Amino acid sequence: MPKEKLLFLDFDGVLHPSHFAGESPFIRAHLLEETLTIFSPKIVISSSWRFTHNLERLQKTIPDFISTLIIGATGPAVVGKHPRFTEIQNYLQSYGPADWKALDDSYWEFPSPCPKLIRCNPNTGITDRQILELSQWLSN
């Protein structure tokens, strides 16, 4: 039986540029809609927004096509080398085996190279390039 696919989703630098002052948050999220609708991966929030918003509030804040796929959020912040990667590993220890990818701009929070990371440019957020990489992974 194939492993379940989990997408660990960051917000800043992915769903909108890292510095989106004066712009609406999630302005790049629409690029994910078709891919997420077709493949429906389970989504775990790995964004730092989880520290200031509970899961219910996050689900009400982000677009519905994303919020309906959310199953949780990674836990407490980790300090040290590769913190986001370690937070994901900690989540997976309690969740169980899964085929996973992280959609994130904070490449320094992951080991290098990290084949599990779909890296976004923090100045733009997600682009067609990351959508292609995500679609290829989800379709396998």
Side-chain angles (χ1 to χ4, degrees):
M1 185 171 165
K3 289 182 184 176
E4 194 165 44
K5 295 204 183 235
L6 292 183
L7 177 62
F8 289 87
L9 183 63
D10 183 24
F11 293 173
D12 300 327
V14 176
L15 300 181
H16 48 254
S18 286
H19 303 289
F20 64 99
E23 298 178 53
S24 299
F26 312 118
I27 61 169
R28 310 278 306 163
H30 69 280
L31 295 173
L32 282 170
E33 188 167 11
E34 183 178 352
T35 301
L36 295 182
T37 302
I38 292 169
F39 296 107
S40 300
K42 292 187 175 180
I43 295 176
V44 179
I45 303 302
S46 55
S47 171
S48 60
W49 285 44
R50 72 187 195 276
F51 301 130
T52 56
H53 300 72
N54 66 30
L55 192 58
E56 183 180 348
R57 185 165 174 212
L58 286 171
Q59 286 178 298
K60 288 178 181 177
T61 303
I62 62 176
D64 287 343
F65 69 88
I66 296 173
S67 68
T68 59
L69 300 173
I70 294 173
I71 61 165
T74 52
V78 170
V79 177
K81 194 172 184 182
H82 311 128
R84 183 74 47 93
F85 182 80
T86 304
E87 292 163 4
I88 291 169
Q89 293 302 305
N90 292 344
Y91 183 91
L92 291 169
Q93 282 181 353
S94 60
Y95 185 83
D99 182 7
W100 68 274
K101 290 277 187 177
L103 195 52
D104 208 308
D105 67 315
S106 300
Y107 66 91
W108 58 90
E109 295 196 47
F110 293 82
S112 180
C114 184
K116 297 292 189 179
L117 175 63
I118 299 174
R119 182 179 171 185
C120 296
N121 180 329
N123 297 316
T124 60
I126 195 166
T127 64
D128 290 339
R129 184 173 110 6
Q130 289 84 30
I131 295 297
L132 178 61
E133 190 175 344
L134 178 64
S135 297
Q136 288 173 339
W137 168 67
L138 289 169
S139 67
N140 288 330

